[in-house]
Amino acid sequence: MVRSAQALVAVVILSGFVLTQQVATHTVVRGDTLWDLAQHYYQNPFEWRRIWEANRENVADPNLIYPHQVLTIPGREAAVTEVTVEAPEPPPGPERPAEPAAQERTIFYDAEAAGVAQPVRGREFPRLAVSRDMAHQAPWLIAPGETPAHVGALEDFAGGVSRSSTPRGYQRVRLSFRGDPPRVGSRLLMYRVFRTIEDVGEVVVPTGVVTVEGLQDDGAVGIITREYQRIQLGDLLGPLPDLTLTPGQEAAPIDDGPWAMIVGFDRGSALNDINVIAFLDLGGSDGVTVGDEFDYVNPEAGEGHVEGRLQVVGVTPDRASARIVQMDDAVFRPGIAVRLTRKMR
């Protein structure tokens, strides 16, 4: 929520008079986020890092800006004037609540006597941190008004009349291609634009997987082998995302990982839940890979208290798709910053 902007006065004493240079600033009000401020001042919310970097001395965590706090807005300068002023008193910093005392069990505590269920451990098998189906059905984000890159489209039913208005699993379908068709046995992802996030981009949702069964003069015939969403005639075709993870490979903790901003979600619902996909403004060109984990840590709730966790399940050069795997209450929303805390090695 953006309501007001002020001029921050920098005081320089020269030969008995005061020279003041005004630079554009913003006085924070309740509900403001760096994401919203970048949209307001630059008409581009992805510029939020410009404001954060200009205020890093007072804003260590991009989530923590407070009412009455004055932020510098870089790239927006006012005129230079000559007045005599007194340096204003800085606003009082927010009081952090006392950390709750740790609850420790005494040596007399007996878990079995207390009726606490003990974990039963079976044989552990190596597994993929992100399953292939999870990676294949991960939606992704493209620029506003853009058409997803594709090699062809799902044209029609094949092999007779279908009783269904939409293709279903294991049905044969006719495929058309913009160039030469792929070889028999190739697996292709089907997808389409699902919805638009204003000022952010288009959400592309995978609908299923089709395997090329045979070639024809005007395209190919395929059989639907995976169904993720409702498949429709006209869905676009493209290669399956590469998944280079190996069984047993896990994300390891790192220090000082980069910050990313949540720019939107795959669904348009007001409340988000476990397994909902959040889109981040970092991607493969920033070193993000499938399996990386981002945390939302609220220092006001106690140092190191993780209120939400995201696991990356899909990556494009500029964006990442991350599913919610943990959260306390409804902590995730657009404009929330999360930090890379575990990295696939």
Side-chain angles (χ1 to χ4, degrees), residues 134 137-140 194-195 197 203 205 229 262-280 294 308-314 320-327 329-334 338:
M134 190 181 298
Q137 63 184 301
W140 67 93
F194 177 67
R195 72 185 192 93
I197 303 177
V203 178
V205 173
Q229 301 282 343
I262 295 177
V263 304
F265 299 90
D266 62 333
R267 307 174 190 176
S269 57
L271 296 177
N272 297 301
D273 206 344
I274 301 298
N275 289 326
V276 168
I277 300 296
F279 299 116
L280 308 180
F294 287 79
R309 177 164 293 163
L310 302 170
Q311 181 189 48
V312 175
V313 293
S321 304
R323 71 185 182 100
I324 299 174
V325 294
Q326 173 192 332
M327 67 177 190
D329 205 2
V331 297
F332 290 122
R333 61 184 184 275
V338 291

Side-chain angles (χ1 to χ4, degrees), residues 5-17:
Q6 295 181 348
L8 176 64
V9 182
V11 180
V12 181
I13 301 178
L14 294 174
S15 303
F17 67 90

Side-chain angles (χ1 to χ4, degrees), residues 9-254:
V9 182
V11 180
V12 181
I13 301 178
L14 294 174
S15 303
F17 67 90
V18 178
L19 179 65
T20 65
Q21 180 174 0
Q22 296 177 321
V23 292
T25 63
H26 175 88
T27 300
V28 177
V29 298
R30 184 177 298 276
D32 277 351
T33 65
L34 297 182
W35 177 258
D36 293 332
L37 296 182
Q39 172 63 31
H40 177 75
Y41 288 108
Y42 306 127
Q43 290 72 57
N44 183 358
F46 291 97
E47 293 286 337
W48 68 272
R49 284 186 176 83
R50 290 183 63 185
I51 302 175
W52 184 43
E53 291 296 339
N55 295 275
R56 285 290 292 271
E57 186 175 343
N58 299 315
V59 183
D61 185 327
N63 290 307
L64 298 183
I65 57 176
Y66 299 95
H68 311 300
Q69 188 175 17
V70 178
L71 302 178
T72 300
I73 308 298
R76 296 177 62 89
E77 295 185 355
V80 175
T81 60
E82 197 171 296
V83 296
T84 301
V85 297
E86 294 182 1
E89 291 293 330
E95 295 185 2
R96 293 181 58 178
E99 296 182 6
Q103 299 295 320
E104 297 183 353
R105 292 173 176 170
T106 71
I107 60 173
F108 302 104
Y109 178 82
D110 184 15
E112 185 174 347
V116 177
Q118 300 298 306
V120 178
R121 300 186 181 276
R123 182 180 178 184
E124 296 184 356
F125 295 92
R127 62 178 183 82
L128 287 174
V130 177
S131 70
R132 295 192 182 280
D133 270 336
M134 190 181 298
H136 291 168
Q137 63 184 301
W140 67 93
L141 199 63
I142 59 176
E146 187 176 296
T147 299
H150 59 284
V151 299
L154 194 163
E155 190 75 21
D156 205 345
F157 294 96
V161 178
S162 173
R163 296 181 180 179
S164 173
S165 59
T166 59
R168 302 300 302 270
Y170 301 103
Q171 282 190 313
R172 298 175 72 243
V173 290
R174 190 156 52 87
L175 312 174
S176 62
F177 296 94
R178 308 174 73 180
D180 294 334
R183 61 181 178 82
V184 172
S186 298
R187 301 174 69 218
L188 300 171
L189 190 67
M190 298 178 287
Y191 47 88
R192 65 176 177 272
V193 172
F194 177 67
R195 72 185 192 93
T196 299
I197 303 177
E198 187 177 0
D199 299 320
V200 174
E202 315 287 345
V203 178
V204 182
V205 173
T207 56
V209 176
V210 61
T211 301
V212 177
E213 189 180 51
L215 303 182
Q216 297 180 336
D217 292 339
D218 57 349
V221 172
I223 183 168
I224 296 174
T225 52
R226 284 286 189 277
E227 187 177 359
Y228 301 137
Q229 301 282 343
R230 183 179 181 184
I231 300 170
Q232 295 181 0
L233 299 179
D235 283 355
L236 303 178
L237 303 174
L240 288 173
D242 291 331
L243 188 64
T244 58
L245 301 183
T246 57
Q249 183 183 4
E250 295 182 352
I254 63 170

Side-chain angles (χ1 to χ4, degrees), residues 245 283-284 287-294 312-315 320 343-345:
L245 301 183
V288 178
T289 59
V290 171
D292 289 351
E293 295 179 6
F294 287 79
V312 175
V313 293
V315 174
K343 179 73 182 164
M344 295 299 291
R345 302 295 176 87

